[in-house]
Amino acid sequence: MPEKQPSAPTVLAVIPARGGSKGVPAKNLAPVAGVPLVARAVRACLGARPVTHVVVSTDDPGIAAAARDAGAEAVRRPAAIAGDTATSEAAVLHAMDAFEATHGRPADVVLLVQCTSPFLTPDEVADTAGRVLSGAADTAFTAAPSHGFLWRETVEDGATGVNHDKAHRPRRQDREAEYLETGAVYAMAAPGFRTHRHRFFGRTALVVTDPARVLEIDDPHDLARARVLAPLLDTPATPRFADVDAVVLDFDGTQTDDRVHLDAEGREFVSAHRGDGLGIAALRRAGLPVLILSTEQNAVVAARARKLKIPVLHGIDRKDRALKEWCEAEGIDPQRVLYAGNDVNDLPCFHLVGWPVAVSSAHDSVRAAARAVTVTPGGSGAIREIAAWLLGPELNTPEN
């Protein structure tokens, strides 16, 4: 009889995500680069090879829905451990119990992963879990190296050095690095965690991370910084055809260069790019619904839509409301919509859809909120570029 092969260890990632946040209201659903913080954490865990299951512990139905959409399981957290004084450890222990009851087996290693670290990578999750899986440590956590001089101030003594003698200032290269706990991810051997009920016990290992990626979102300023940094720190991502059920396009500044030409009679003229028309035609042939959504009530917009043979909604004050109503009428999930825009009046739509896309000439705040940014400016073929993301690079060949 062949020897039974041991099963792979069960590595459970638990993401605590309460609905009540005082510093940043609805923080865990706040989008960074078009993706809610809770979904960013789920994706980092799902991308880590050792992780077998991802659970979001929450008391909020909206967060639970976002977690499921991102591919995680959701566990309803009882009110007794969902208040301001509740510990993350309590949420993890409850999620472990729920997981064992549902799946019929305990976790071997459990991870505590925080939504508030938006730039956590799958490699960091995998490395942290790996330290415990290998037996090298009982617990592990991410930390960033620091050579900073720390100070403490008291009424009696004034400012005194914490990690140095203020009378002796060695050069950076002459000082050993110290490590700042990032708060992003912790790994624990599950049986030991049940015993100690704390994230640090036994031998603890550091997983050293890039300090440039370390950011904890505790207040609105942190969230604003995250949105500015996302285009620099995130791995560039563009949608595929399978990711999108509809394409919605702003007009001014997205399909044009945002300039208006006037004649002596006050008539307006704009320039559109033929390549964008080719891209839109290709999207239509592929069966993707395409809509133009514009704030301006302008005959030029309507004429362009007729030329492209696609519907248009223009003269719209609340573009997000119009987009939501259109999605409902067409039976399309907004999370499956790609919306391309360029200015601040597009931001409410960005927060509604799954694929907010900014053209490269967009306002800085729009680029920061986008999940993807074109290389091409608005009015110069940006829509053709988006069509090539979805339908393949052959759209960029000269014969097309």
Side-chain angles (χ1 to χ4, degrees):
M1 182 176 179
E3 183 178 348
K4 184 179 180 181
Q5 296 297 315
S7 59
T10 298
V11 178
L12 173 65
V14 179
I15 303 171
R18 291 191 304 114
S21 173
K22 292 193 170 72
V24 182
K27 175 172 64 178
N28 291 315
L29 289 174
V32 171
V35 182
L37 287 174
V38 65
R40 290 177 70 96
V42 169
R43 291 177 182 182
C45 294
L46 291 175
R49 184 177 295 274
V51 174
T52 59
H53 299 81
V54 182
V55 167
V56 173
S57 168
T58 185
D59 59 337
D60 184 278
I63 292 174
R68 294 189 188 99
D69 287 343
E73 299 175 44
V75 170
R76 185 178 180 279
R77 195 190 308 187
I81 57 170
D84 292 339
T85 60
T87 65
S88 296
E89 281 85 353
V92 173
L93 287 165
H94 174 263
M96 290 171 67
D97 290 340
F99 173 83
E100 187 169 344
T102 301
H103 293 270
R105 65 180 184 275
D108 298 299
V109 173
V110 64
L111 306 179
L112 164 58
V113 179
Q114 306 276 27
C115 295
T116 48
S117 296
F119 302 117
L120 175 66
T121 68
D123 285 345
E124 290 168 342
V125 176
D127 288 349
T128 309
R131 299 299 174 90
V132 178
L133 281 168
S134 69
D138 301 296
T139 60
F141 68 99
T142 51
S146 171
H147 289 83
F149 292 110
L150 296 180
W151 293 80
R152 179 181 294 114
E153 187 174 35
T154 65
V155 175
E156 297 81 9
D157 301 321
T160 57
V162 174
N163 61 347
H164 67 286
D165 179 351
K166 66 180 183 179
H168 178 56
R169 303 277 293 187
R171 300 176 304 169
R172 176 186 175 90
Q173 58 266 39
D174 295 331
R175 301 178 65 218
E176 287 189 20
E178 295 174 319
Y179 294 90
L180 174 69
E181 186 178 331
T182 69
V185 57
Y186 305 82
M188 297 83 72
F193 181 67
R194 282 197 177 280
T195 299
H196 294 276
R197 308 177 76 82
H198 194 273
R199 71 190 74 176
F200 297 115
F201 54 87
R203 180 176 176 81
T204 298
L206 288 172
V207 175
V208 180
T209 63
D210 180 0
R213 303 185 65 84
V214 176
L215 174 63
E216 282 194 274
I217 296 179
D218 293 320
D219 60 41
H221 301 292
D222 298 328
L223 182 59
R225 280 197 295 274
R227 287 170 170 166
V228 171
L229 288 171
L232 302 175
L233 297 179
D234 282 349
T235 301
T238 55
R240 302 165 300 170
F241 185 81
D243 298 324
V244 171
D245 289 340
V247 174
V248 179
L249 306 170
D250 174 46
F251 188 74
D252 292 316
T254 301
Q255 298 180 63
T256 76
D257 61 6
D258 220 15
R259 293 185 299 173
V260 176
H261 305 278
L262 299 174
D263 68 9
E265 305 299 323
R267 290 174 295 195
E268 293 186 0
F269 301 86
V270 298
S271 298
H273 197 278
R274 289 191 182 275
D276 286 345
L278 183 147
I280 289 171
L283 292 171
R284 287 177 49 243
R285 287 196 301 271
L288 275 178
V290 182
L291 170 73
I292 294 177
L293 184 58
S294 177
T295 304
E296 292 289 326
Q297 178 75 43
N298 195 318
V300 174
V301 182
R304 183 61 175 164
R306 285 195 301 273
K307 172 77 173 176
L308 297 173
K309 299 178 182 177
I310 58 175
V312 59
L313 297 174
H314 59 135
I316 302 296
D317 291 330
R318 285 284 307 275
K319 294 174 76 173
D320 56 332
R321 180 165 30 186
L323 176 55
K324 185 176 181 181
E325 290 172 353
W326 181 80
C327 287
E328 290 173 352
E330 297 294 324
I332 296 171
D333 180 357
Q335 287 300 305
R336 301 274 303 169
V337 171
L338 183 155
Y339 180 95
N342 78 301
D343 217 331
V344 293
N345 63 344
D346 295 310
L347 288 174
C349 290
F350 270 35
H351 298 155
L352 179 65
V353 303
W355 276 100
V357 174
V359 296
S360 67
S361 51
H363 188 275
D364 287 347
S365 63
V366 178
R367 288 169 54 89
R371 189 171 175 184
V373 179
T374 66
V375 174
T376 313
S380 299
I383 308 308
R384 179 174 179 154
E385 180 182 338
I386 292 169
W389 294 349
L390 301 177
L391 303 178
E394 61 272 10
L395 272 177
N396 289 329
T397 57
E399 59 268 24
N400 285 324

